[in-house]
């Protein structure tokens, strides 16, 4: 299985258009490599390197596809004038940074989108991307991720994405928050946010991806105990970082995000598991781990924890 990091930043990306924090200023300065640019969070996965599932559709999707040749069809073979290697889309939530890209793909519809009922509801009513997009070739074909009925093993049903062979997805409901425009804001229910255990059915190799999680739970820990690679939420270094820096009145918890540091942080969680790859993603522009000269970055390096970058390829075989 191959995993492409299309975007590793949180909402706003790095640099964020109106932000002049230390990181955003450094990212605008091309003469140093302290902080590199990052687009908003998204992955693509494939078992054969030809057919890809897009995991979350970021507002930066156009740029992400244009800089990722793996997602372009081989026209010498197909003779088609238009097309894509993206065969379906899986959403973990209904946040702007994970769904706005659906509007960017209007020229290539119809396309399948896999999401929970709650996410479908948010993206039909509060942020009505599904109904709007129906005006382009019928729009998206929504496929349900069922987290309400359980399979024989007591977990939610796994699913596959049509035309993606050899990859199975296991949805895991997470503690997080719903987006500000959702009726579930501050009263989240299962289905607002899921993590995905993604398994290569031939090699058995697996990754757990959770870009929006505020706190671990038994199912998350069961997944982390089984997989080879974790790609986890690292929005803020500390919960009140945006308030302390004068950037926003929101804590990480308010937005449904875990911190990197601290006893209940993502590093403490990762340190309990023996994994081939420990990767942090969905990193806010205020987070000091973006600065490769920072003590926080060195702290992660010493623990073999990798700060995701756009364009990173993870091969599990
Ligand atoms: C964002 O991306 O702006 C977040 O949704 C903010 C939030 O959850 O408060
Ligand atoms: Mn986000
Ligand atoms: Zn900034």
């Amino acid at each position: 299985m191959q995993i492409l990091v299309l975007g590793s930043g949180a909402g706003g990306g790095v640099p964020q258009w109106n932000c002049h924090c230390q990181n955003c200023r450094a990212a605008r300065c091309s003469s140093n490599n302290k902080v590199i640019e990052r687009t908003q969070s998204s992955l693509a996965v494939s078992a054969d390197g030809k057919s890809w599932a897009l995991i979350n559709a970021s507002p930066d999707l156009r740029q992400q596809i244009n800089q990722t040749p793996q997602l372009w069809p081989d026209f010498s073979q197909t003779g088609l004038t238009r097309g894509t290697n993206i065969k379906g889309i899986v959403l973990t939530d209904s946040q702007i940074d994970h769904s706005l890209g659906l509007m960017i793909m209007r020229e290539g519809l119809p396309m399948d989108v896999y999401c929970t009922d709650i996410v479908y509801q948010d993206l039909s009513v509060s942020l009505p991307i599904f109904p709007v997009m129906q005006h382009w070739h019928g729009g998206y074909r929504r496929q349900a991720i069922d987290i309400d009925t359980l399979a024989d093993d007591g977990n939610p049903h796994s699913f596959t994405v049509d035309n993606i062979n050899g990859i199975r997805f296991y949805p895991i409901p997470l503690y997080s928050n719903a987006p500000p425009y959702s009726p579930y804001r501050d009263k989240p229910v299962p289905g607002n946010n899921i993590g995905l255990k993604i398994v290569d059915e031939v090699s058995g190799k697996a990754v757990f991806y959770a870009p929006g999680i505020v706190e671990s739970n038994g199912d998350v820990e069961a997944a982390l105990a089984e997989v080879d690679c974790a790609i986890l939420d690292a929005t803020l270094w500390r919960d009140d970082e945006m308030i302390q820096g004068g950037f926003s009145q929101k804590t990480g918890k308010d937005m449904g995000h875990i911190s990197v540091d601290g006893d209940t942080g993502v590093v403490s969680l990762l340190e309990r598991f023996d994994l081939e790859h420990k990767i942090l993603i969905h990193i806010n522009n205020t987070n000091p781990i973006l600065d490769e000269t920072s003590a926080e970055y060195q702290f992660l390096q010493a623990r073999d924890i990798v700060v995701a970058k756009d364009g990173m390829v993870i091969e599990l075989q």
Side-chain angles (χ1 to χ4, degrees):
M1 170 165 54
Q2 282 183 55
I3 301 145
L4 303 180
V5 175
L6 301 180
S8 51
V14 188
Q16 178 177 311
W17 68 280
N18 64 341
C19 189
H20 305 281
C21 72
Q22 232 176 312
N23 283 338
C24 288
R25 279 187 282 125
R28 282 188 194 100
C29 171
S30 51
S31 61
N32 77 46
N33 285 328
K34 260 163 67 102
V35 177
I36 58 160
E37 287 188 26
R38 283 172 166 85
T39 63
Q40 295 166 81
S41 117
S42 172
L43 298 182
V45 296
S46 175
D48 59 10
K50 296 190 182 95
S51 304
W52 293 85
L54 181 68
I55 321 286
N56 291 326
S58 107
D60 303 316
L61 187 58
R62 178 179 172 280
Q63 176 188 345
Q64 292 168 343
I65 294 173
N66 282 340
Q67 61 198 26
T68 311
Q70 294 93 322
L71 302 178
W72 313 338
D74 179 352
F75 288 112
S76 62
Q77 301 278 317
T78 62
L80 295 169
T81 49
R82 288 194 169 167
T84 176
N85 289 345
I86 298 173
K87 301 301 175 198
I89 302 161
V90 183
L91 302 180
T92 61
D93 56 68
S94 56
Q95 294 279 355
I96 285 181
D97 53 353
H98 288 157
S99 61
L100 221 59
L102 295 174
M103 304 190 93
I104 311 291
M105 297 175 92
R106 66 188 182 283
E107 300 89 353
L109 302 184
M111 174 98 62
D112 291 331
V113 174
Y114 296 73
C115 64
T116 64
D117 286 348
I118 300 273
V119 166
Y120 185 55
Q121 183 188 328
D122 276 351
L123 297 181
S124 298
V125 181
S126 311
L127 177 61
I129 293 177
F130 278 104
V132 167
M133 298 313 289
Q134 278 171 11
H135 298 278
W136 281 268
H137 319 288
Y140 289 99
R141 292 180 299 237
R142 188 263 171 154
Q143 311 289 342
I145 299 179
D146 175 12
I147 53 147
D148 298 315
T149 65
L150 299 182
D152 291 342
D153 64 2
N155 292 311
H157 292 279
S158 63
F159 62 96
T160 55
V161 170
D162 259 12
N163 301 310
I164 305 275
N165 295 324
I167 295 198
R168 184 162 284 280
F169 296 82
Y170 295 79
I172 297 168
L174 302 177
Y175 298 141
S176 187
N177 200 355
Y181 40 85
S182 168
Y184 302 98
R185 180 67 163 184
D186 297 332
K187 28 186 189 309
V189 293
N192 283 129
N193 286 78
I194 57 168
L196 294 166
K197 185 174 83 178
I198 308 169
V199 181
D200 183 319
E201 295 190 296
V202 176
S203 69
K205 290 282 182 172
V207 55
F208 178 62
Y209 174 54
I213 177 173
V214 74
E215 187 185 310
S216 181
N217 66 42
D219 296 330
V220 167
E221 281 160 37
L224 288 173
E226 279 175 27
V227 298
D228 306 278
C229 170
I231 307 180
L232 298 185
D233 186 352
T235 306
L236 304 180
W237 174 257
R238 37 180 288 187
D239 195 46
D240 63 354
E241 156 184 321
M242 295 207 294
I243 300 174
Q244 290 301 327
F247 299 107
S248 156
Q249 283 314 307
K250 291 178 186 174
T251 63
K253 279 200 189 80
D254 292 338
M255 301 185 293
H257 291 296
I258 195 169
S259 302
V260 178
D261 195 27
D263 293 347
T264 55
V266 74
V267 169
S268 299
L269 176 65
L270 282 170
E271 288 211 291
R272 292 166 40 207
F273 298 92
D274 181 24
L275 297 162
E276 214 175 298
H277 304 272
K278 299 179 178 181
I279 300 169
L280 301 183
I281 202 162
H282 191 277
I283 307 156
N284 193 55
N285 46 71
T286 54
N287 193 327
I289 64 173
L290 291 175
D291 179 346
E292 299 193 8
T293 64
S294 70
E296 292 83 353
Y297 184 86
Q298 316 293 328
F299 172 87
L300 298 178
Q301 268 205 319
R303 287 161 179 76
D304 284 330
I305 298 177
V306 172
V307 181
K309 291 181 181 172
D310 295 14
M312 178 184 268
V313 181
I314 304 135
E315 291 240 20
L316 298 178
Q317 52 198 349

